[in-house]
Amino acid sequence: ELTADEFESSIQSLISLKQEKPKSIDDEFSRLWTHIKSDKYKFDTLDKDIEHLKLLSKDDLLAFWDKYVNEDTAQGYTRLDLQMWSTKIWQPTPKEFEIYPGTVIALYGSLHSEGHTGLSIADVQSFVSSADASSSIESLLAKLSELYMTKQTPSVSNETAEALDTTDVDVEAPGIVFESSSKIATALQMAISSVNETPKFATLSKTNFANIDMKQSPEGIWLINDYKRFQQTQALHGISVPSHKLVPLIAESAQADNN
């Protein structure tokens, strides 16, 4: 917990930083041009920031946190998490987004991006749901490779087998090994671990965006199909700093859902 002395020290450090003189003409130009470019021309913003910092107390900061940021106490708390898909890679359909958890989608996308397209997203979901979370990542990857090979092994028809004067023959596809250092391994670890972790997204998604053609995932995450319509529904918010720990794209928490 931040003590009063530590808080005061942090405030003084921030004030000192803001009081530093520009080290070059370029620095001063950039500072002034920011206000000109914004069309606000508030050249005294820095001085006002310092004045407010001198008046700021730890209690003020805690009250602000509880009123605007703390999801348990802030009235009308809202949070926006963004995940963007490149148009050059596989993307889930709106229906798939509604059915499958985010980590299953990420794992399937990782397989797809590496050229392993032999499994369906339903196959990946079934594998993740039935996997033993206590197994090593090497064991899980081996089982995933085995599943992949099973799906890739074509069976010769009875007619063809009779023509060859033999019984049914299995034609084996080349072996595949998923490396433990690959992004597939990372995505698999996150998908397996999410089975036993209930994300908080669903409890935070209190607004229904279905009326603007948005789709919702099993975790409560909304997929924006028309960002302009979405923008028109949102009120501006003054807080620009993230209040949650940033994680890799494929690490987005999800709860495996067989439905």
Side-chain angles (χ1 to χ4, degrees):
E1 183 179 347
L2 187 67
T3 66
D5 289 341
E6 290 173 335
F7 175 81
E8 185 62 29
S9 177
S10 297
I11 291 295
Q12 291 304 319
S13 296
L14 184 55
I15 290 175
S16 297
L17 182 63
K18 288 181 175 292
Q19 288 177 330
E20 286 186 358
K21 301 296 182 181
K23 295 181 172 61
S24 67
I25 293 179
D26 286 341
D27 287 345
E28 186 171 12
F29 172 81
S30 297
R31 181 181 298 179
L32 296 175
W33 183 249
T34 298
H35 301 293
I36 296 173
K37 188 177 181 180
S38 66
D39 292 329
K40 295 181 179 178
Y41 307 106
K42 295 183 178 180
F43 300 105
D44 59 346
T45 298
L46 197 58
D47 294 331
K48 288 185 175 181
D49 285 347
I50 294 173
E51 290 177 10
H52 287 299
L53 282 171
K54 290 179 178 179
L55 299 174
L56 187 65
S57 67
K58 180 183 175 181
D59 289 339
D60 293 331
L61 185 61
L62 292 176
F64 178 87
W65 177 268
D66 288 336
K67 185 175 181 180
Y68 296 106
V69 182
N70 188 340
E71 60 197 63
D72 297 321
T73 61
Q75 295 183 352
Y77 171 86
T78 58
R79 167 182 167 181
L80 179 62
D81 295 273
L82 296 179
Q83 180 176 7
M84 302 179 68
W85 281 289
S86 168
T87 55
K88 295 183 179 180
I89 65 173
W90 172 84
Q91 300 178 45
T93 65
K95 187 63 177 177
E96 289 170 338
F97 185 85
E98 287 184 300
I99 295 175
Y100 300 106
T103 49
V104 169
I105 289 175
L107 175 55
Y108 181 77
S110 296
L111 287 164
H112 202 277
S113 68
E114 295 292 324
H116 306 304
T117 58
L119 296 177
S120 69
I121 192 170
D123 292 331
V124 175
Q125 164 71 18
S126 178
F127 177 83
V128 169
S129 299
S130 60
D132 183 0
S134 63
S135 300
S136 67
I137 185 59
E138 289 78 14
S139 175
L140 292 170
L141 285 170
K143 291 179 179 179
L144 182 60
S145 299
E146 182 180 344
L147 173 64
Y148 189 90
M149 291 302 304
T150 300
K151 296 291 183 179
Q152 294 304 293
T153 303
S155 180
V156 177
S157 66
N158 291 333
E159 292 79 5
T160 303
E162 290 175 0
L164 295 173
D165 194 24
T166 183
T167 58
D168 284 354
V169 178
D170 284 337
V171 180
E172 297 201 1
I176 277 208
V177 177
F178 297 127
E179 300 293 338
S180 59
S181 59
S182 67
K183 65 180 180 181
I184 293 175
T186 303
L188 177 59
Q189 282 180 307
M190 294 174 176
I192 298 298
S193 64
S194 71
V195 172
N196 298 317
E197 296 177 2
T198 303
K200 303 180 72 176
F201 296 115
T203 61
L204 300 179
S205 299
K206 300 175 182 177
T207 304
N208 185 2
F209 293 108
N211 62 328
I212 56 171
D213 196 31
M214 286 173 58
K215 306 298 182 181
Q216 193 171 30
S217 74
E219 309 95 315
I221 303 171
W222 288 96
L223 175 66
I224 302 173
N225 292 314
D226 187 337
Y227 77 92
K228 290 185 177 179
R229 293 180 68 185
F230 172 75
Q231 283 180 326
Q232 292 170 357
T233 68
Q234 302 305 295
L236 296 179
H237 200 295
I239 301 176
S240 59
V241 295
S243 58
H244 292 266
K245 181 181 178 181
L246 299 177
V247 294
L249 177 63
I250 58 174
E252 189 169 9
S253 296
Q255 182 181 14
D257 191 332
N258 289 322
N259 297 326

